[in-house]
Amino acid sequence: MPSCSVFPVSATGNDMTPVPVHRPALPILATVNWPEGAGTPDPATAAALAAAAEKLTNGQLVAIPTETVYGLAANATDPDAVAGIFQAKGRPATNPLIVHVSDESMALTLVSQWPDIAQKAAAAFWPGPLTLVVPKADAVPDIVTAGGRTVALRCPSLKVTHQLIKLSQRPLAAPSANRSEAVSPTTAQHVLEGLGNRIGMILDNGPCEHGLESTVLDCTVNPPKILRPGPISAVQLEQALGISVYSSEPETSGAGQGSGSDTVLRSPGTQQRHYAPRTQLTLSKNAHSVITQLIQDGHRVGWLCNSPEESAVQTLAKSPEVLVIPMPKDPTAYARSLYATLHALDQRGLGRLIVDAVPSGPEWAAVRDRLNRAAT
Ligand code: TXA
Ligand code: MG
């Protein structure tokens, strides 16, 4: 960590000797941009990717964009580098990391078995927002998998990320680039706000396409299980795999508690409070009266509202104590904007966030899952 000297205050204050003070340096923020259809990246992007690859090869941490959320990357084959991820995030050592690969052949170097289901799912959805849990090879350090015998693998589709893995010539362990339990970052600015003084470099590719984390599919069980719903839906998986896929979600805002009879061992990271803004968040089917009461009790309220056009909403929105955020009616657009909205509202000094319950259909599964966890 670089240090700088300040003058003239010393530890005792009674002489003029400069005392070194350790100040965390801000990370290098490098813009990257590689449009679809462009064969090669522009020179600035190529230079930023080369610099990032060098840092990763040297065991340093780099925050990277992906098509889902920003990740905090380290060389997955270097246990010391991976330890830096856990430290920077404040992540419990019991929560394993996803390893990002450039293609299936890199994945095969990290597994002891490649089940048919994994092979089919990779063929259908890689590169893309699908993580496959499979038996791990000895090449994967135990710290990555939290001592477990399986490893979670994902091949990101964003071109700059793909290229970075190729340049690094190594698989990259990368959880979302936020402090543990906080809302995942969907812009470089979110990473800077959450982890800025803990990492050396951030690659800024603008807002993420999906805005929610990848679907996690456990391929070591039969039928395969969705451990975390995400951009690739159960229906898409079933169509591609030709078999039924097990999925479950918490019915209420109890993180990690399966619904009623569900005895499935969930993804370790989903057993904890997750994805939560700092402001207390409540899901409501009756937001209007809940908010009216909160205002009477003296709270300032943010409302993630599904029907801003309703006249009752417009009346309430005139209150200076309420900030109404109209949310998209389409689940893909809702997912893309959810975390950015929560990050922005956390800056507003509101007492409470009230979120209209979202529809019950399967296309809303990933959004519902994140909202239930945020409301814990
Ligand atoms: O979209 C994403 O998946 C993003 C981007 C950066 O790729 N990454 C991400 O990582 O969301 P993270 O660490 O925030 O979430 C990974 C989830 C956690 O719930 C973790 O417990 C689970 O995957 N996981 C990792 N390895 C696992 C394993 N071997 N078995 C079961 N679950 C695992
Ligand atoms: Mg995360």
Side-chain angles (χ1 to χ4, degrees):
M1 193 67 73
S3 64
C4 59
S5 297
V6 291
F7 189 82
V9 182
S10 73
T12 56
N14 58 7
D15 65 38
M16 298 293 278
T17 316
V19 177
V21 173
H22 291 282
R23 291 230 180 92
L26 283 175
I28 300 165
L29 191 57
T31 302
V32 289
N33 175 33
W34 189 344
E36 279 306 317
T40 52
D42 62 58
T45 297
L49 292 175
E54 193 185 332
K55 283 186 186 299
L56 290 164
T57 309
N58 292 335
Q60 295 175 46
L61 304 183
V62 177
I64 60 168
T66 80
E67 69 276 22
T68 56
V69 299
Y70 277 72
L72 181 57
N75 172 3
T77 61
D78 176 347
D80 291 337
V82 173
I85 294 179
F86 283 92
Q87 201 177 10
K89 280 183 62 90
R91 182 176 177 112
T94 50
N95 191 2
L97 306 179
I98 294 176
V99 177
H100 297 66
V101 296
S102 55
D103 50 31
E104 189 174 344
S105 67
M106 187 184 269
L108 293 177
T109 66
L110 304 170
V111 306
S112 60
Q113 273 176 51
W114 190 232
D116 272 0
I117 290 296
Q119 192 264 320
K120 276 191 188 159
F125 299 108
W126 280 10
L130 177 67
T131 296
L132 303 172
V133 172
V134 291
K136 90 174 190 79
D138 291 343
V140 181
D142 286 340
I143 187 171
V144 171
T145 64
R149 292 186 184 172
T150 59
V151 63
L153 299 176
R154 162 159 134 72
C155 176
S157 62
L158 192 70
K159 279 170 96 174
V160 288
T161 322
H162 198 258
Q163 178 70 1
L164 181 62
I165 302 170
K166 278 171 78 176
L167 288 175
S168 310
Q169 297 180 300
R170 284 165 180 82
L172 300 180
S176 51
N178 49 280
R179 292 282 289 164
S180 189
E181 298 190 359
V183 176
S184 295
T186 59
T187 65
Q189 186 62 33
H190 299 156
V191 180
L192 196 58
E193 284 157 12
L195 293 175
N197 57 1
R198 294 166 181 264
I199 54 180
M201 186 174 195
I202 303 174
L203 297 179
D204 182 355
N205 186 67
C208 297
E209 177 192 345
H210 295 291
L212 286 189
E213 303 82 354
S214 61
T215 305
V216 179
L217 183 70
D218 187 349
C219 301
T220 68
V221 291
N222 193 5
K225 282 174 204 152
I226 293 180
L227 301 176
R228 180 176 70 184
I232 305 290
S233 69
V235 173
Q236 282 175 290
L237 284 167
E238 290 183 339
Q239 277 170 357
L241 301 176
I243 55 169
S244 65
V245 167
Y246 186 93
S247 61
S248 69
E249 63 178 300
E251 276 172 357
T252 60
S253 56
Q257 301 158 1
S259 56
S261 61
D262 174 22
T263 53
V264 176
L265 178 65
R266 298 182 63 87
S267 205
T270 63
Q271 289 173 344
Q272 298 147 23
R273 178 179 187 263
H274 249 72
Y275 318 109
R278 289 189 304 274
T279 319
Q280 188 184 333
L281 183 153
T282 307
L283 271 174
S284 179
K285 290 184 175 155
N286 191 17
H288 192 279
S289 62
V290 171
I291 291 169
T292 306
Q293 185 62 50
L294 283 168
I295 296 172
Q296 276 171 19
D297 294 345
H299 292 284
R300 292 183 62 227
V301 183
W303 182 2
L304 276 67
C305 179
N306 295 347
S307 313
E309 66 284 357
E310 285 177 7
S311 62
V313 175
Q314 291 180 8
T315 307
L316 198 52
K318 292 192 181 115
S319 161
E321 307 307 320
V322 181
L323 185 59
V324 177
I325 313 294
M327 295 302 288
K329 297 197 190 305
D330 162 67
T332 307
Y334 192 112
R336 190 178 301 130
S337 65
L338 175 61
Y339 287 165
T341 303
L342 296 180
H343 279 286
L345 289 178
D346 254 347
Q347 312 285 340
R348 299 294 292 261
L350 299 163
R352 294 283 290 275
L353 299 182
I354 302 297
V355 182
D356 280 334
V358 295
S360 56
E363 66 280 18
W364 287 92
V367 165
R368 222 166 28 237
D369 172 81
R370 303 311 189 276
L371 287 175
N372 280 331
R373 293 178 198 294
T376 305

